[in-house]
Amino acid sequence: NTDSGFKAYVSGISQEKYRAYVLACAEAGFNAGTAESDRQYFAKNADGYQLTVDYQGNEVIGISIAEPEYTIELQVDCAANLLFNKYDVTICVDGAEQGTIRHGATEYYTLILTKGPHTIQFASAEDDEVKGQSRIDAARDGVVCLRLSCAGSRINVDTISDSAGAAEPE
């Protein structure tokens, strides 16, 4: 078990029972984006949950289900200041560094995120005490555009557009 999925192994399942189980899964709604062979079945349901059923052999099957994953195209525009507070900004999503955006530049990031809330953190590349953050509630594939403005002791974050869920400055 993890926060985003579950896997179980079940014994005593013949190949005939495996095939019947796969049919039952399809009838229960796991029938989108299917990929199937004699020993493996992969499909998603209408909510995007991903099911994999593997016939391992010796009457053992593996069943796993994972949360939906969404592709979020993140555009970050760092507004240029004329004189002061001209620093580059490091970008992290859920604590994982994505890169550094140069002051006054625009960068694009492709993120694969599970359904639900995710935190985007911004910190000055020169002083990690200067911070800002935003939250994305991933609900579908889409584009999120954010604008940063560097101000003395903080980084201000504004949502310009969001077609992937609810982006909220914090």
Side-chain angles (χ1 to χ4, degrees):
N1 293 331
T2 67
D3 289 342
S4 61
F6 171 79
K7 183 154 188 159
Y9 293 94
V10 182
S11 62
I13 306 296
S14 67
Q15 285 187 323
E16 293 77 28
K17 287 182 181 177
Y18 160 78
R19 285 190 283 278
Y21 182 73
V22 165
L23 284 173
C25 289
E27 290 171 2
F30 284 95
N31 50 26
T34 60
E36 187 173 3
S37 70
D38 290 342
R39 298 178 69 89
Q40 185 177 59
Y41 180 77
F42 171 85
K44 294 180 181 182
N45 69 5
D47 294 324
Y49 285 86
Q50 304 168 43
L51 171 75
T52 303
V53 183
D54 292 300
Y55 185 78
Q56 306 284 312
N58 296 323
E59 295 194 341
V60 174
I61 64 170
I63 304 167
S64 64
I65 190 158
E67 284 187 325
E69 291 183 332
Y70 301 107
T71 301
I72 308 297
E73 299 296 334
L74 177 63
Q75 175 185 327
V76 181
D77 176 32
C78 184
N81 291 337
L82 294 176
L83 297 175
F84 300 107
N85 303 313
K86 295 175 73 169
Y87 46 82
D88 298 343
V89 176
T90 301
I91 299 170
C92 295
V93 176
D94 296 333
E97 187 173 325
Q98 301 298 309
T100 300
I101 183 170
R102 297 184 56 76
H103 183 80
T106 299
E107 292 290 338
Y108 301 86
Y109 304 91
T110 300
L111 308 172
I112 306 297
L113 301 175
T114 56
K115 182 176 184 173
H118 299 274
T119 302
I120 304 173
Q121 300 112 341
F122 304 95
S124 166
E126 299 166 9
D127 179 358
D128 62 3
E129 294 297 315
V130 178
K131 299 178 181 179
Q133 70 179 31
S134 183
R135 196 184 117 199
I136 294 176
D137 192 10
R140 62 190 157 278
D141 294 339
V143 178
V144 174
C145 299
L146 302 176
R147 172 166 286 144
L148 308 179
S149 56
C150 300
S153 63
R154 71 184 179 285
I155 299 170
N156 297 316
V157 183
D158 293 312
T159 302
I160 305 304
S161 65
D162 177 11
S163 67
E168 303 169 2
E170 293 185 349

